[in-house]
Amino acid sequence: LAQVSAATEKILQSVREVLGENGVQEEKREEIVQFTQVAIQKVLENYHQLPDWALEAIGATIDEKRTSKSYDGQGRTSWWFWPLVFSSTNPPETILQPHIAPGECWAFQGSQGHVVIRLPEHIWPTAFTVWHISEAVSPSGEVTSAPREFAV
């Protein structure tokens, strides 16, 4: 709820700024912002978020034996401290986390890969979503490594 509220405020502030930058008069600007706020509220009232069964926090796990190997980290940093090795590459379990941010992804080897996720209980799935960062937050300004096709 706090995130939705914060996002709504950012949207409304952006609307105010864009209207101001385009010379819309103050009283007209506030009227448009109020209409925008009503529209956002209507969308949120009709939006029903589906449960995310593929979260580690609720018991989802990765079947390592049937999942693609992680990218080996060429060009990434590894640290050797006998008898342990620490690497900056992320494991497949990374995809079971609720957040997405630059660098918080699981990279697999090659151009095609697969992952087997064990869900915490038997379900009848009705929708699937694959999340990836947008170009706007990508440090390189591109997302060419993002999944473009997937099958379930």
Side-chain angles (χ1 to χ4, degrees), residues 5 15 17 19 28 39 44 52 59 71 75 131 137 143:
S5 181
V15 169
E17 290 172 8
L19 293 172
K28 196 67 168 172
L44 293 174
D52 186 348
Y71 176 64
W131 289 91
V137 297
V143 290

Side-chain angles (χ1 to χ4, degrees):
L1 188 59
Q3 288 177 330
V4 170
S5 181
T8 299
E9 279 306 311
K10 286 182 181 180
I11 292 168
L12 295 175
Q13 184 59 35
S14 294
V15 169
R16 280 186 190 94
E17 290 172 8
V18 168
L19 293 172
E21 291 166 0
N22 288 283
V24 176
Q25 295 175 352
E26 180 72 32
E27 63 184 45
K28 196 67 168 172
R29 199 180 317 165
E30 283 310 308
E31 185 180 0
I32 293 170
V33 168
Q34 286 175 355
F35 287 141
T36 304
Q37 189 168 16
V38 170
I40 291 170
Q41 197 59 41
K42 283 186 176 189
V43 168
L44 293 174
E45 287 171 1
N46 293 318
Y47 178 75
H48 300 290
Q49 188 172 0
L50 298 173
D52 186 348
W53 291 100
L55 288 176
E56 188 174 46
I58 64 170
T61 59
I62 299 291
D63 182 339
E64 296 277 347
K65 291 180 182 173
R66 301 187 318 176
T67 294
S68 294
K69 298 287 183 212
S70 295
Y71 176 64
D72 63 9
Q74 275 186 324
R76 299 194 108 191
T77 305
S78 293
W79 301 274
W80 293 82
F81 296 104
W82 176 252
L84 304 171
V85 178
F86 298 94
S87 174
S88 64
T89 58
N90 294 319
E93 288 77 13
T94 304
I95 66 174
L96 303 179
Q97 304 307 313
H99 62 280
I100 58 168
E104 294 296 319
C105 58
W106 169 57
F108 52 81
Q109 293 180 7
S111 61
Q112 292 185 358
H114 52 274
V115 61
V116 176
I117 301 172
R118 290 191 183 113
L119 302 179
E121 60 184 75
H122 294 283
I123 65 164
W124 290 99
T126 58
F128 296 90
T129 303
V130 175
W131 289 91
H132 195 278
I133 62 167
S134 69
E135 290 176 346
V137 297
S138 172
S140 66
E142 58 181 53
V143 290
T144 55
S145 64
R148 286 179 282 292
E149 297 178 20
F150 73 97
V152 179

